[in-house]
């Protein structure tokens, strides 16, 4: 199960994970449940029908199948399975019974979606082997995931007997077993991380197995810490000059090689000038570049500090953490393979 | 606060500018709805608009449907609940006020039941296990209740501006479908049958005759077996008890739907300047038009800008030049840095490097290169302490190696930003070409997250402060 805050990359990560798990000739099923055709978009194919189809071949010849689960169709399947309704099923569709059942009946939609996924998990071929080595679901976002996965508990309580009761309990057994893992995708930003922390707590208290945190869209560091310290220091010097306050670390800063803001600035102007970016006299082009460049550096430092704090919060969860870098031009197909290789290299298969 | 980034609206002369303050100040504007794809900043924008509206003298209320606690947090409140709470410290001077609330589906549903049924009936409904589960908010209920709440807030007439945030993910416009879905569901014969055989007459009953009663009883039989007889009985009791209220639901949902179409409503589509987000934004724009909902404009959130007048290519060339000819850092630090930076340097061939170029595609992902590990950076900083000469800017030959590295790093950082910026502008222009009629407001990304009132004020200011253009 792959969840996360909206827009953090659930669909992308779920697809990359399905590819990674299809390593070495294995077969995986990638499932989506929100009717948005996100998988088809990602793999640049036509809208997926309610049917499992091969959508990609992984490194080493493994196969990824995909399925967009449609609750209405799944309900008809169930009725068919249990009661052989045949054309009566279609009639029910017409009078709105199916609509009713999937729209308003308590959680039935979610029951059907999780039920279908569990069915795929348990399915075996004639020789008794599992049809899929892994099923990866592009699940609803963090805010809804616990309710979504827990719905079968609720339904088992409501429908106290009968096949639905049994079915709900069977699904819950799979979802709470060690065979299931809920992975949370996040960015290194406050709110997604906050949601991840809250989500992990909720999942844990509902007895649902939490797998890992996937930190998505991380960026390579472009400035080294020493330089950043200097840039930050410059901020400190500037702030101190402006407000008369003495920021923490100033004393130490004063002894650092580039401590004096003005000196650092002149040095930078000189360096820029040396590589042909204009004169380094005060007011020269190189000199004028320094201030805005440093400002960008400071913003960057601020961002990095924030990311570091978020990372620390994630680490505190005590879960395995995977990191996926920001693809330069959004998540296209080539990028997806790169992400899956990245997941594999980081040991996601273990 | 750092200086305002300018995002240079190159090539956008013909696109109308979204006049946010104009909208906020217009007393005719009564409802604003922020919609858009996941994570683009809907909640942030809604909260920022609320703060700005209040500080410009309006009595505003922000309604979030988002189940997470984010809105509350960003406004310095720990919790929001189903009744609007005043947000302290906002709008006082201007005579405005800001309230905020978070939709609690169950509470909203309960309140409706309590308001529209006599005591005994209300209790029967509230205690029904089917109701308890339905109102706890499975797919679908949320949208009905959002419509209800919006209608209620509007009817109370305590606020002159209601700002609505919409839920993450799924189809964010689901709530537009709520009245129609509810209507077709309530008009459906199925609900009639459930409410009791007596009601199965009339038009609905006729349809059943066509289907054949056999099919129907087979279905109820099937449902009974499937769900257990108890649940179906609960459902029937519930529907019977709710029967008189259902009509009211529909009437009110329809009324709210029309309210959304009215001229006093302004939809804002929020998007990030990224390909997929803008594709979804285009979908929202089209969907709103199809439903005849008044679109005020597009908020392009988290755009980047730069005040450094230097192209990406020149910055990169200069950075490489500095690193090659720079004063030697005897530790591996210098090599490390270059390795990390170079992974996204398109090899220059003289042509202006487009971000769409094949090289740009290959740039990432290499964030896990060993050079990026904390240890590598540790090397660098310990090298500094080990005695990089103190720079003396007066002397031509003594830029410290550290200064050279810093200059190179800043240049690389700038080149990266210029590439991001160029990509954002291209994406934006593609959208504008597709929908030239949609007014746009650009909001520069703050370096940090938005999590408090000053942050929301900064976003509000950026929303309002658009480069001069045709006011939309
Ligand atoms: N590592 C990455 N590098 C660059 N772009 C990425 C990366 N991961 C995801 N994206 C892009 O970010 C956007 C959001 O990703 P995706 O659709 O997977 O998120 P989601 O969480 O499924 O969103 P939603 O909440 O709308 O379902 C897409 O445009 C995707 O291509
Ligand atoms: N202009 C901005 N500059 C910097 N950060 C921003 C900006 N706008 C939004 N953010 C940040 O982006 C993140 C997502 O914003 P927000 O939660 O408002 O998005 P959303 O569209 O409501 O998401 P969801 O779809 O999950 O409800 C938050 O961490 C927020 O602080
Ligand atoms: Mg998705
Ligand atoms: Mg939100």
């Amino acid at each position: 199960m792959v969840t996360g805050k909206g827009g953090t990359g659930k669909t992308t990560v779920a697809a990359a994970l399905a590819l990674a798990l299809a390593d070495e000739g294995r077969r995986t099923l990638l499932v989506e449940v929100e009717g948005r055709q996100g998988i088809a978009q990602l793999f640049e194919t036509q809208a997926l029908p309610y049917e499992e189809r091969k959508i990609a071949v992984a490194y080493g010849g493994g196969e990824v199948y995909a399925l967009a689960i449609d609750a209405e169709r799944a309900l008809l399947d169930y009725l068919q399975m249990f009661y052989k309704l045949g054309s009566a099923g279609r009639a029910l569709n017409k009078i709105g019974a199916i609509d009713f059942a999937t729209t308003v009946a308590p959680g039935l939609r979610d029951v059907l979606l999780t039920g279908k996924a569990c069915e795929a998990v348990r399915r075996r071929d004639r020789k008794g082997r599992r049809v899929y080595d892994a099923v990866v679901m592009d699940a609803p976002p963090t805010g809804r995931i616990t309710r979504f996965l827990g719905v079968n508990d609720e339904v088992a309580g409501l429908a106290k007997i009968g096949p639905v009761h049994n079915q709900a309990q069977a699904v819950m057994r799979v979802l709470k077993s060690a065979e299931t893992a809920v992975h949370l995708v996040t960015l290194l930003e406050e709110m997604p991380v906050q949601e991840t922390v809250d989500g992990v707590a909720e999942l844990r208290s509902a007895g649902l197995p939490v797998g890992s945190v996937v930190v998505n869209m991380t960026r390579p560091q472009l400035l080294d810490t020493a330089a950043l310290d200097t840039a930050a220091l410059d901020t400190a010097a500037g702030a101190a000059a402006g407000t008369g306050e003495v920021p923490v670390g100033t004393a130490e800063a004063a002894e650092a090689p580039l401590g004096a803001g003005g000196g650092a600035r002149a040095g930078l102007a000189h360096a820029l000038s040396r590589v042909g970016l204009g004169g380094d006299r005060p007011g020269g082009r190189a000199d004028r570049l320094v201030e805005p460049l440093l400002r960008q550096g400071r913003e960057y430092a601020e961002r990095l500090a924030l990311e570091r704090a978020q990372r620390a919060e994630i680490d505190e969860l005590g879960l395995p953490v995977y990191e996926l870098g920001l693809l330069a031009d959004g998540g296209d197909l080539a990028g997806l393979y790169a992400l899956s290789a990245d997941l594999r290299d980081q040991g996601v298969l273990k | 606060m750092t200086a305002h980034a300018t995002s240079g609206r190159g090539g956008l002369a013909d696109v109308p500018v979204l006049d946010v303050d104009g909208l906020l100040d217009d007393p005719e504007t009564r409802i604003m709805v922020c919609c858009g794809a996941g994570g683009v900043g809907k909640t942030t924008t809604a909260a920022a608009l609320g703060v700005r509206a209040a500080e410009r003298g309006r009595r505003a209320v922000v309604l979030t449907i988002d189940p997470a606690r984010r809105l509350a947090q960003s406004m310095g409140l720990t919790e929001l609940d189903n009744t609007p709470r005043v947000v302290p410290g906002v709008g006082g001077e201007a005579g405005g006020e800001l309230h905020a609330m978070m939709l609690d589906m169950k509470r909203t549903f309960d309140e409706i039941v309590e308001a529209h049924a006599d005591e005994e009936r209300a209790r029967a409904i509230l205690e029904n296990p089917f109701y308890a589960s339905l109102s706890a908010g499975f797919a679908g209920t949320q949208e009905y209740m959002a419509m209800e709440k919006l209608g209620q807030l509007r009817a109370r007439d305590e606020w002159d501006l209601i700002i609505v945030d919409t839920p993450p993910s799924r189809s964010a416009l689901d709530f537009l479908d709520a009245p129609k879905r509810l209507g077709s569901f309530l008009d459906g014969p199925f609900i009639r049958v459930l409410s009791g055989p007596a009601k199965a007459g009339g038009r609905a009953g006729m349809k059943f005759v066509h289907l054949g009663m056999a099919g129907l009883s087979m279905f109820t039989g099937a449902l009974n077996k499937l769900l257990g007889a108890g649940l179906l009985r609960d459902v029937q009791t519930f529907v019977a008890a709710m029967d008189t209220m259902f009509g009211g639901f529909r009437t009110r949902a329809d009324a709210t739907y029309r309210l959304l179409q009215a001229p006093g409503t302004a939809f804002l589509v929020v998007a990030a300047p990224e390909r997929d987000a803008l594709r979804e934004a285009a979908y929202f724009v089209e969907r709103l038009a199809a439903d005849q909902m008044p679109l005020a404009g597009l908020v392009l959130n988290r755009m980047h800008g730069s005040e450094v007048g230097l192209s990406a290519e020149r910055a990169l060339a200069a950075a490489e030049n500095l690193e090659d000819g720079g004063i030697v850092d005897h530790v591996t630090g210098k090599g490390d840095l270059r390795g990390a930076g170079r992974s996204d340097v398109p090899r220059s061939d003289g042509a202006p490097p487009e971000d769409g170029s094949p090289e740009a595609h290959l740039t990432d992902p290499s964030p896990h290169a060993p050079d990026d590990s904390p240890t590598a950076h540790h090397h660098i900083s310990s090298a500094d302490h080990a005695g990089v000469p103190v720079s003396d800017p007066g002397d031509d030959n003594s830029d410290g190696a550290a200064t050279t590295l810093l200059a190179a790093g800043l240049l690389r950082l700038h080149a990266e930003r210029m590439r991001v910026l160029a990509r954002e502008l291209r994406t934006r222009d593609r959208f504008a070409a597709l929908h030239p009629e949609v007014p746009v407001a650009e909001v520069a990304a703050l370096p940090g997250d938005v999590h408090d009132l000053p942050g929301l004020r900064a976003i509000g200011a950026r929303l309002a402060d658009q480069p001069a253009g045709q006011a939309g």
Side-chain angles (χ1 to χ4, degrees):
Chain A
M1 301 285 172
V2 178
T3 184
K5 183 184 184 310
T8 52
K10 294 179 292 297
T11 306
T12 309
V13 171
L17 189 58
L19 270 174
L21 294 173
D23 202 28
E24 288 166 19
R26 279 181 290 207
R27 187 188 294 144
T28 59
L29 178 66
L30 175 60
V31 168
E32 88 177 310
V33 295
E34 303 223 294
R36 299 202 313 171
Q37 293 292 342
I39 297 177
Q41 254 184 40
L42 192 55
F43 285 91
E44 295 161 21
T45 63
Q46 290 175 332
L48 293 172
Y50 182 54
E51 186 185 292
E52 290 157 38
R53 2 183 104 164
K54 188 155 95 181
I55 196 162
V57 175
Y59 291 122
E63 297 171 325
V64 178
Y65 281 68
L67 170 69
I69 305 184
D70 172 87
E72 280 75 23
R73 288 286 306 276
L75 177 58
L76 283 173
D77 278 3
Y78 274 120
L79 293 175
Q80 191 59 32
M81 197 160 75
F82 288 128
Y83 296 103
K84 312 262 173 293
L85 282 185
S87 64
R90 275 196 298 280
L92 290 173
N93 210 357
K94 241 184 248 159
I95 66 167
I98 303 295
D99 216 23
F100 167 80
T102 52
T103 310
V104 178
L108 194 52
R109 173 178 290 272
D110 295 351
V111 168
L112 290 164
L113 299 173
T114 46
K116 181 69 193 174
C118 286
E119 182 271 321
V121 169
R122 286 177 299 182
R123 197 184 310 154
R124 289 174 190 274
D125 64 13
R126 274 192 222 101
K127 292 188 188 134
R129 285 177 313 214
R130 300 224 164 187
V131 172
Y132 293 110
D133 296 292
V135 176
V136 179
M137 185 190 282
D138 175 14
T142 332
R144 290 210 311 271
I145 188 68
T146 304
R147 210 190 291 143
F148 174 77
L149 296 176
V151 69
N152 280 284
D153 264 347
E154 182 138 359
V155 166
L158 274 175
K160 294 196 176 54
I161 49 163
V164 166
H165 174 82
N166 298 339
Q167 160 79 10
Q169 285 206 316
V171 169
M172 229 45 231
R173 270 196 301 278
V174 174
L175 290 182
K176 289 189 174 176
S177 76
E179 279 190 312
T180 300
V182 183
H183 303 286
L184 296 98
V185 185
T186 187
L187 308 177
L188 285 178
E189 292 173 10
E190 277 178 43
M191 295 205 199
V193 169
Q194 183 61 49
E195 238 184 67
T196 302
V197 172
D198 291 351
V200 167
E202 270 179 45
L203 287 164
R204 279 177 174 159
S205 74
L208 292 159
V210 182
S212 68
V213 176
V214 180
V215 178
N216 194 20
M217 306 193 213
T218 59
R219 275 163 293 196
Q221 194 169 336
L222 294 173
L223 272 179
D224 76 286
T225 31
L228 283 180
D229 283 348
T230 313
L233 202 111
D234 234 307
T235 327
T243 62
E245 281 172 34
V246 181
V248 186
T250 308
E252 191 193 337
E255 288 163 350
L258 297 168
R265 245 165 255 185
L268 283 169
H270 184 63
L272 295 176
S273 173
R274 247 183 28 222
V275 289
L277 295 178
D280 62 353
R281 292 162 286 103
R285 174 150 191 257
D287 179 62
R288 274 181 289 125
L289 284 173
V290 170
E291 189 43 47
L293 275 174
L294 270 176
R295 199 177 306 135
Q296 284 180 184
R298 267 179 242 130
E299 283 181 16
Y300 183 73
E302 194 181 326
R303 186 89 237 161
L304 268 191
L306 195 131
E307 289 185 0
R308 224 169 274 139
Q310 299 312 310
R311 234 182 254 278
E313 248 188 84
I314 292 169
D315 286 343
E316 258 173 48
L317 291 169
L319 293 166
V321 178
Y322 302 101
E323 286 204 13
L324 296 176
L326 177 74
L327 299 166
D329 211 31
D332 61 358
L333 210 47
L336 194 60
Y337 276 86
L339 294 180
S340 88
D342 242 2
L343 280 174
R344 214 178 27 199
D345 292 347
Q346 292 176 50
V348 82
L349 298 183
K350 285 175 237 143
Chain B
M1 190 66 35
T2 46
H4 205 139
T6 54
S7 56
R9 272 179 185 256
L12 204 65
D14 296 339
V15 174
V17 173
L18 173 64
D19 177 12
V20 170
D21 279 346
L23 263 180
L24 291 178
D25 292 346
D26 184 351
E28 303 282 301
T29 311
R30 301 298 303 275
I31 297 175
M32 295 175 90
V33 184
C34 299
C35 54
V40 292
K42 298 179 292 296
T43 304
T44 308
T45 304
L49 285 171
V51 171
R52 192 165 181 89
E55 300 196 327
R56 297 178 72 84
R58 299 203 65 169
R59 281 181 61 79
V61 59
V62 177
L63 162 64
T64 180
I65 307 171
D66 205 324
R69 284 176 287 134
R70 282 169 260 160
L71 187 70
Q73 288 166 351
S74 66
M75 290 187 290
L77 301 168
T78 46
E79 290 287 333
L80 286 178
D81 60 15
N82 211 34
T83 13
R85 307 245 170 252
V86 70
V87 179
V90 177
E93 288 143 52
E97 216 170 284
L98 178 64
H99 294 240
M101 65 159 293
M102 180 163 75
L103 182 76
D104 177 333
M105 283 170 280
K106 178 150 176 49
R107 277 305 313 150
T108 305
F109 212 147
D110 288 356
E111 282 162 17
I112 298 167
V113 171
E114 281 156 5
H116 294 271
D118 60 62
E119 211 173 307
E120 194 181 328
R121 214 170 154 101
R123 188 159 0 92
I125 295 172
L126 296 178
E127 284 169 3
N128 187 305
F130 174 82
Y131 170 80
S133 182
L134 171 67
S135 61
F138 292 108
T141 315
Q142 196 177 33
E143 286 80 15
Y144 303 145
M145 291 308 131
M147 284 298 240
E148 277 281 344
K149 200 66 192 179
L150 177 57
Q152 282 177 16
L153 290 178
R154 188 67 171 74
R156 272 170 69 177
D157 215 24
E158 275 178 49
W159 298 278
D160 55 24
L161 181 62
I162 304 170
I163 299 168
V164 186
D165 168 37
T166 53
S169 200
R170 232 159 83 94
S171 154
L173 286 181
D174 267 5
F175 73 107
L176 289 182
D177 293 331
K180 230 176 286 163
R181 285 235 302 264
L182 190 65
S184 72
F185 161 61
L186 294 173
D187 282 337
F190 187 71
I191 199 116
R192 297 283 142 218
V193 177
L194 281 182
S195 11
K199 291 246 165 71
R203 212 166 43 102
M206 289 308 288
K207 283 200 201 141
F208 275 110
V209 175
H210 285 304
L211 282 168
M213 288 307 281
L216 178 67
S217 63
M218 188 170 172
F219 181 66
T220 17
L223 264 190
N224 255 326
K225 275 193 242 162
L226 210 55
L227 304 171
L231 179 57
L232 193 59
R233 203 172 45 241
D234 285 341
V235 173
Q236 280 174 326
T237 326
F238 170 72
V239 171
M242 293 286 285
D243 192 44
T244 48
M245 286 172 42
F246 272 144
F249 267 127
R250 183 169 54 229
T251 318
R252 289 193 302 276
D254 281 343
T256 310
Y257 185 80
R258 281 195 303 275
L259 195 63
L260 288 175
Q261 288 177 323
T265 300
F267 278 85
L268 290 176
V269 175
V270 185
E274 284 153 20
R275 197 188 42 190
D276 288 17
L278 276 168
R279 192 189 301 140
E280 244 179 285
Y283 162 76
F284 282 120
V285 166
E286 285 149 26
R287 179 63 216 277
L288 287 169
D291 277 52
Q292 295 167 312
M293 297 286 168
L295 171 69
L298 175 78
V299 173
L300 261 184
N301 192 24
R302 304 186 90 167
M303 295 278 290
H304 290 86
S306 176
E307 289 169 340
V308 181
L310 197 61
S311 72
E313 303 84 72
R314 284 211 69 190
L316 271 180
E320 283 183 3
N321 208 338
L322 273 174
E323 286 158 355
D324 289 341
I327 285 149
V328 179
D329 182 347
H330 56 275
V331 188
T332 51
K334 184 180 123 189
D336 286 347
L337 244 181
R338 288 177 45 194
R342 194 160 280 171
S343 62
D344 40 7
V345 178
R347 289 299 146 134
S348 173
D349 52 37
E354 282 281 314
D355 282 280
S357 74
E359 277 131 335
H361 279 291
L362 296 176
T363 53
D364 260 337
S366 58
H368 310 294
D371 359 0
D372 212 26
S373 71
T375 19
H377 297 300
H378 188 73
H379 272 297
I380 297 171
S381 43
S382 53
D384 280 347
H385 290 301
V388 172
V390 174
S391 80
D392 172 5
D395 183 321
D396 255 18
N397 283 325
S398 64
D399 292 356
T403 311
T404 307
L405 274 185
L406 176 58
L410 288 172
L411 287 166
R412 285 194 179 283
L413 196 62
H414 175 65
E416 177 56 29
R417 187 185 279 224
M418 291 306 281
R419 273 203 299 274
V420 168
L421 206 146
R423 187 166 59 234
E424 289 177 350
L425 292 184
R426 267 203 310 282
T427 319
R428 176 202 68 182
D429 292 347
R430 221 173 295 147
F431 177 89
L434 212 60
H435 288 286
E437 78 286 2
V438 177
V440 176
E442 292 176 16
V443 177
L446 296 176
D449 267 335
V450 184
H451 54 215
D452 52 13
L453 282 176
L456 290 175
R457 285 195 185 101
I459 296 286
R462 286 167 187 221
L463 265 166
D465 178 22
Q466 299 297 314
Q470 301 168 245

